[in-house]
Amino acid sequence: MPQPPRNRPHLRVEGTGQTERYTNPSQPTTRRPPYRDREQHAAALTAAIAQAIQAGRGEVAAREPTIADGEPGFYLQIAVPHGEGEAIDKLSNRPKRVEVVSTKETGDGANSYIEATVFVPAEAETYYLDKVEAYRDPARNTRTGRPANEALVARMDNVQIATVQSLFTDDVGLFPPSGQPVWWEVWLRRDTRERFMHVADRLNIQRREHIVSFRERDVVLALADAATMTRLIRNCDAVAELRLAKDTPAMFLGLGGGEQAEWSDELLSRINPPGMAAPAVCLLDSGVTQRHPLIQPVLDETDMHTVEPTWGRADTAAFWNGHGTAMSGVAIYGDLHPLLAGTDAVDLQHRLESVKILPPDGHNDPELYGAITMEAVARVELQAPHRPRVVCMAITSANPVPGKPSSWSAAVDQLCFDEEQRRLLVVSAGNIRDGLASATYLDANDLAPVEDPAQAWNALTVGAYTDKVNITDPDYRGWQPIGAPGDLSPSSRTSVTWSRQWPIKPDVVFEGGNFADDGLQAPEPIDDLRLLTTHSKPNLRLLDTIGDTSGASALAANMAARIMAARPGLWPETVRGLIVHSAEWTPAMQARMAGRSKAELHSLLRRYGYGVPDFDRAILSASNDLTLLIEDELNPFDKEQRSSTAKSKDMRLHRLPWPRRELLALGEMPVEFRITLSYFVEPNPGERGWTRRHRYASHNLRFAVKRATETVDDFRRRINRVAREEEDGISVSSGAGDDNWYLGGTVRDRGSLHSDWWRGTAADLAGRDAIGIYPVGGWWKEKPHLDRWNTAARYALIVTIRAPGTNVDLYTPVANQVSVPISVR
């Protein structure tokens, strides 16, 4: 049966959130440490620690008085077995200023370990030795007869003096050879920046001016060899960890596709440009050719910027192949082909802004790209502070990441979360550059990890799929497309190989074009299978092609700006949520998901994200479906005045204005119920094991739905039980309601965006008229000394009911219960 048109705005539900006192989850049950012979283990540790202390005293004695700054001390490297990571939290002692600064995993199989690097002040040099002596002495057993400090000491495998390699948290194979200067990312402990700068100056260590700051870490770039870095660490207590500064970000450039200039002129005659106050897509790229006739109506010269004045603001057509201008055409118009072929007027509702962040004739010197990104955003906001915008960046590092935060991805998260001005950033997932082959298609995508900074929790990370399979160019007669229609674009990267703790990336996929194969040569991204866009040299030709995740991310930014124009005032979290909420898997994707287990669905979700978004679904409802928008906040944590620990505080209970009568009338008719929860987290990066205490995210939120047979009180009790279980590390598979959820909590509860579908009967859905939003932890809670435990957490909740194949009006009964719906332009 044909579906009615989507011509009704989604309904905003005001004031539905009821604050509920949160039942504090119990502390997790501590696992008993692995069995060890107590005396033998204590003796071995005593000898190792004593030797490490002796070496540490040598490090302190070797400090150079004319160079040194900060508290005298040394670093220890402490190994615990893999799987015993909870011991890492017990290694620190704030009163004694003993701090775990970084961790890394080594070995494999039965010989795998977590190596924690700990800074120990000279005044506390015997801290671990005292712990072991207490563990060794039977007279100091606990009341239950267990050895003192057993939870820590029994898990310690070895202790030794740390080296500069101990603080290096990148792959060990990347550690520079002796004598070779390299650019390091130096991650500094809290409140130590000035001490580091003093020592670095005395050692003549060259630094970049950019600094990225987080709650517990500052990140700077420094040029030095390993020996000089060893001297710096010996003379300063500032360094928490070291990483290599990453190479110049990779760019994916469109290939030339000659088109007739008169097509552009005719389209220009049909364009109605936007006003200066309209929302904007802000491109961070190689610059834009503003004189292009299709770009001039939407890009004012005052909205063109550069992070380096000597580069200029215009696009670099030679070195970067005009990538910024190619991105611009898609960001404003989408794929130009249907517009050029059409005859209708084109009413543009958003503008363009540009910040050039790539040099005109080569690669950047090593820089902190997080700082560059922050500076670029600051420039456009200074120029037009009140203009709504979505920031789009299709630049990624050539080095894939395993999902762990970097200084760049954390800076992206910080930009999004900023309490003074929340922002929406769209980031491309990155592309496979070499080795594409039809025979390994999809397997190769699954093995190619998303690139930095696309692992950012708060960004909308965009992958590429394709529907482009028609090849009409006679020069490519006999060639075949690699990607099937509706499946992943051949170059798009995924997060299939990431650890399950990291967010699902990409979040969504947009059209990124296809590759063609003649069976003899390497596949090519031919013009027939690309997006049509603007060329950076309009004096030569006006049209070009683009594809891959660059084109896909430009399409995503285009959609975000159109939502901002159609729904003024929506939060960035809400716009991101609407894009994901509107996404659906194509038939090709659904065919691969049919009959899959939850584990297999998890892998496929990490390949396709939540599918392909749709603008009409994002902003409009049909009569037989209904979408509600809720923007709200809660206080997730609380702390008593004299307490040193924080606890969970509030949940929010939303009573939904449900079309109960209409649903009951449908009886056993199958319906679909979808929920998307979108919020931003405050990042706290720094590799220290990502344990409970050292979580990356400030807070995590979850949603749960009242069951048809539950009372509201029963529902509250279930939420509290589910929250306790998750805090205790117990797998939660049905916290949202029951097993009719397509993904379930074990799959969807990753990152800061959660979306899922419930399918059942209309009669059953009629009683599911309440949703609970509740916290489950984060560093705001685990680190109350950082004074963020009382910070409010805001969120966007999007709810849709669908009754496909029916003529029932679900929209009007709810519209009559809520306030005036949001207007749509």
Side-chain angles (χ1 to χ4, degrees):
M1 179 179 296
Q3 297 299 308
R6 294 179 175 274
N7 55 8
R8 304 185 183 190
H10 299 333
L11 300 174
R12 184 194 291 270
V13 182
E14 305 286 357
T16 62
Q18 174 183 341
T19 300
E20 302 283 343
R21 194 64 181 178
Y22 185 89
T23 302
N24 190 46
S26 60
Q27 295 298 315
T29 302
T30 302
R31 288 192 299 164
R32 180 163 290 180
Y35 175 79
R36 298 179 184 273
D37 180 273
R38 180 176 179 178
E39 179 59 30
Q40 182 179 0
H41 181 59
L45 280 180
T46 297
I49 295 173
Q51 184 176 354
I53 290 175
Q54 189 64 31
R57 289 171 179 166
E59 291 290 307
V60 173
R63 283 165 61 97
E64 301 164 67
T66 59
I67 293 175
D69 194 0
E71 185 170 24
F74 50 88
Y75 294 84
L76 293 180
Q77 182 176 297
I78 301 176
V80 301
H82 181 76
E84 300 293 336
E86 59 266 35
I88 301 299
D89 288 343
K90 301 180 184 300
L91 291 172
S92 298
N93 185 290
R94 288 188 65 237
K96 293 183 178 294
R97 301 183 301 284
V98 176
E99 179 186 352
V100 175
V101 294
S102 63
T103 66
K104 58 185 176 182
E105 295 188 5
T106 62
D108 54 66
N111 294 319
S112 61
Y113 293 90
I114 302 172
E115 291 182 347
T117 302
V118 185
F119 178 77
V120 180
E123 293 182 356
E125 65 174 24
T126 64
Y127 174 71
Y128 293 110
L129 198 61
D130 296 341
K131 290 283 186 182
V132 175
E133 288 303 314
Y135 167 83
R136 191 176 192 174
D137 186 359
R140 300 178 68 177
N141 284 358
T142 66
R143 295 178 181 177
T144 60
R146 305 301 303 173
N149 304 319
E150 181 185 31
L152 170 63
V153 177
R155 291 184 170 96
M156 295 169 64
D157 261 44
N158 188 37
V159 180
Q160 61 186 15
I161 194 70
T163 65
V164 66
Q165 289 93 338
S166 303
L167 291 166
F168 188 73
T169 57
D170 273 343
D171 187 283
V172 65
L174 298 177
F175 193 84
S178 176
Q180 178 182 332
V182 296
W183 284 99
W184 307 80
E185 274 191 12
V186 185
W187 293 62
L188 305 177
R189 299 168 64 204
R190 187 184 186 193
D191 300 328
T192 63
R193 185 195 306 175
E194 294 303 320
R195 299 201 288 271
F196 167 80
M197 297 298 186
H198 174 263
V199 175
D201 286 341
R202 296 295 178 90
L203 291 173
N204 295 317
I205 293 176
Q206 184 178 344
R207 302 185 307 280
R208 295 296 181 192
E209 63 179 291
H210 297 298
I211 297 174
V212 178
S213 295
F214 304 101
R215 292 287 173 182
E216 292 190 282
R217 293 290 183 263
D218 291 324
V219 188
V220 299
L221 257 128
L223 179 65
D225 61 13
T228 304
M229 193 59 65
T230 297
R231 285 183 68 193
L232 185 145
I233 292 168
R234 180 183 297 134
N235 286 283
C236 185
D237 63 344
V239 180
E241 61 178 294
L242 299 170
R243 307 181 190 183
L244 277 190
K246 303 305 185 288
D247 293 336
T248 303
M251 298 298 301
F252 304 104
L253 309 176
L255 302 178
E259 298 291 343
Q260 297 295 318
E262 54 265 29
W263 293 359
S264 174
D265 295 337
E266 194 279 330
L267 173 59
L268 188 61
S269 70
R270 295 184 276 118
I271 289 175
N272 296 316
M276 288 297 293
V281 173
C282 173
L283 287 178
L284 311 187
D285 213 284
S286 62
V288 176
T289 303
Q290 192 265 350
R291 69 179 186 276
H292 193 293
L294 291 177
I295 293 177
Q296 276 185 326
V298 296
L299 177 60
D300 191 82
E301 288 188 359
T302 60
D303 292 324
M304 298 179 66
H305 308 274
T306 177
V307 296
E308 172 52 59
T310 61
W311 294 350
R313 301 176 298 168
D315 200 354
T316 306
F319 193 86
W320 298 111
N321 293 339
H323 187 265
T325 304
M327 289 283 293
S328 299
V330 178
I332 292 298
Y333 299 101
D335 189 348
L336 272 172
H337 184 272
L339 296 181
L340 289 167
T343 58
D344 294 337
V346 178
D347 296 323
L348 297 179
Q349 298 295 325
H350 63 279
R351 303 191 59 78
L352 189 68
E353 298 172 330
S354 169
V355 186
K356 188 170 185 172
I357 66 172
L358 294 173
D361 55 1
H363 299 288
N364 275 327
D365 290 333
E367 291 282 357
L368 282 174
Y369 290 105
I372 292 176
T373 305
M374 288 179 163
E375 180 181 344
V377 172
R379 287 178 182 270
V380 295
E381 291 179 347
L382 183 63
Q383 169 63 29
H386 303 298
R387 177 185 292 157
R389 63 177 53 83
V390 52
V391 179
C392 179
M393 183 167 61
I395 299 171
T396 59
S397 168
N399 296 318
V401 294
K404 296 191 299 184
S406 68
S407 59
W408 193 3
S409 72
V412 169
D413 281 334
Q414 190 74 50
L415 279 167
C416 294
F417 176 81
D418 187 352
E419 290 175 291
E420 297 298 322
Q421 183 170 349
R422 298 289 172 95
R423 303 174 181 90
L424 176 60
L425 269 73
V426 171
V427 180
S428 66
N431 290 352
I432 301 173
R433 295 168 183 79
D434 302 305
L436 287 176
S438 300
T440 57
Y441 169 60
L442 289 182
D443 289 337
N445 298 87
D446 288 347
L447 294 175
V450 163
E451 294 181 319
D452 192 17
Q455 74 272 33
W457 288 42
N458 296 335
L460 181 72
T461 300
V462 181
Y465 88 109
T466 189
D467 271 324
K468 294 185 176 293
V469 294
N470 291 352
I471 300 175
T472 60
D473 189 332
D475 290 341
Y476 295 96
R477 184 173 290 116
W479 290 53
Q480 297 295 321
I482 292 180
D487 218 322
L488 202 67
S489 185
S491 65
S492 190
R493 289 178 173 268
T494 70
S495 62
V496 173
T497 61
W498 287 4
S499 170
R500 294 175 66 90
Q501 67 178 309
W502 302 119
I504 303 295
K505 296 291 178 177
D507 297 294
V508 290
V509 291
F510 281 80
E511 178 64 67
N514 209 340
F515 282 66
D517 186 4
D518 67 350
L520 299 174
Q521 306 175 66
E524 294 184 20
I526 66 175
D527 288 345
D528 277 346
L529 306 180
R530 307 279 278 179
L531 299 165
L532 192 62
T533 187
T534 46
H535 196 279
S536 62
K537 295 182 177 180
N539 57 315
L540 298 179
R541 53 179 178 164
L542 293 172
L543 301 174
D544 201 353
T545 60
I546 191 172
D548 306 314
T549 57
S550 290
S553 60
L555 286 172
N558 173 282
M559 178 174 174
R562 290 165 63 200
I563 292 174
M564 291 177 178
R567 297 291 187 86
L570 288 183
W571 293 347
E573 300 97 317
T574 310
V575 176
R576 179 183 71 153
L578 282 171
I579 292 173
V580 171
H581 192 78
S582 74
E584 292 184 349
W585 294 307
T586 65
M589 299 172 191
Q590 291 174 356
R592 297 188 184 278
M593 295 180 172
R596 299 284 186 167
S597 66
K598 285 289 194 286
E600 291 170 323
L601 282 176
H602 186 249
S603 294
L604 290 169
L605 187 62
R606 288 187 175 276
R607 176 194 290 175
Y608 300 120
Y610 288 95
V612 183
D614 180 87
F615 177 74
D616 286 341
R617 279 198 302 267
I619 65 166
L620 297 172
S621 296
S623 61
N624 67 344
D625 75 12
L626 162 72
T627 296
L628 303 174
L629 306 180
I630 300 170
E631 295 178 333
D632 209 340
E633 66 178 31
L634 56 80
N635 289 92
F637 309 119
D638 195 8
K639 186 173 75 72
E640 296 180 2
Q641 186 173 4
R642 297 183 179 180
S643 175
S644 61
T645 60
K647 59 183 180 180
S648 298
K649 181 184 179 184
D650 293 339
M651 59 166 277
R652 294 286 275 172
L653 182 63
H654 295 277
R655 302 297 299 270
L656 302 175
W658 234 215
R660 181 178 178 85
R661 179 182 303 174
E662 288 71 19
L663 289 171
L664 289 174
L666 290 175
E668 297 301 308
M669 180 74 68
V671 294
E672 183 179 285
F673 177 37
R674 183 170 184 178
I675 295 178
T676 298
L677 175 64
S678 175
Y679 56 97
F680 291 161
V681 300
E682 183 177 14
N684 191 18
E687 177 57 79
R688 286 174 292 175
W690 312 115
T691 61
R692 285 172 57 90
R693 175 171 171 73
H694 298 301
R695 302 190 215 212
Y696 174 76
S698 52
H699 63 289
N700 293 277
L701 300 179
R702 300 287 184 263
F703 68 79
V705 179
K706 175 182 169 292
R707 293 173 179 150
T709 58
E710 278 184 318
T711 66
V712 172
D713 288 340
D714 289 339
F715 179 43
R716 291 191 185 99
R717 284 189 287 269
R718 177 163 60 85
I719 291 177
N720 282 306
R721 174 179 56 79
V722 169
R724 287 194 300 270
E725 289 175 352
E726 183 161 350
E727 285 285 88
D728 290 351
I730 300 173
S731 177
V732 180
S733 61
S734 59
D738 56 27
D739 292 334
N740 281 357
W741 289 92
Y742 186 66
L743 298 176
T746 57
V747 175
R748 68 164 180 262
D749 289 340
R750 302 289 183 270
S752 62
L753 191 147
H754 318 293
S755 191
D756 206 351
W757 300 258
W758 177 93
R759 293 182 175 94
T761 68
D764 194 357
L765 182 59
R768 299 172 185 269
D769 56 356
I771 298 176
I773 308 297
Y774 60 94
V776 293
W779 65 264
W780 282 353
K781 176 184 177 184
E782 305 298 339
K783 298 193 173 188
H785 62 279
L786 297 179
D787 292 329
R788 299 291 289 164
W789 53 266
N790 59 347
T791 305
R794 76 181 201 180
Y795 59 87
L797 180 65
I798 307 168
V799 182
T800 292
I801 304 174
R802 293 179 184 171
T806 71
N807 292 321
V808 64
D809 184 1
L810 300 176
Y811 185 93
T812 302
V814 177
N816 292 334
Q817 299 181 57
V818 299
S819 57
V820 177
I822 305 168
S823 62
V824 178
R825 294 178 181 176

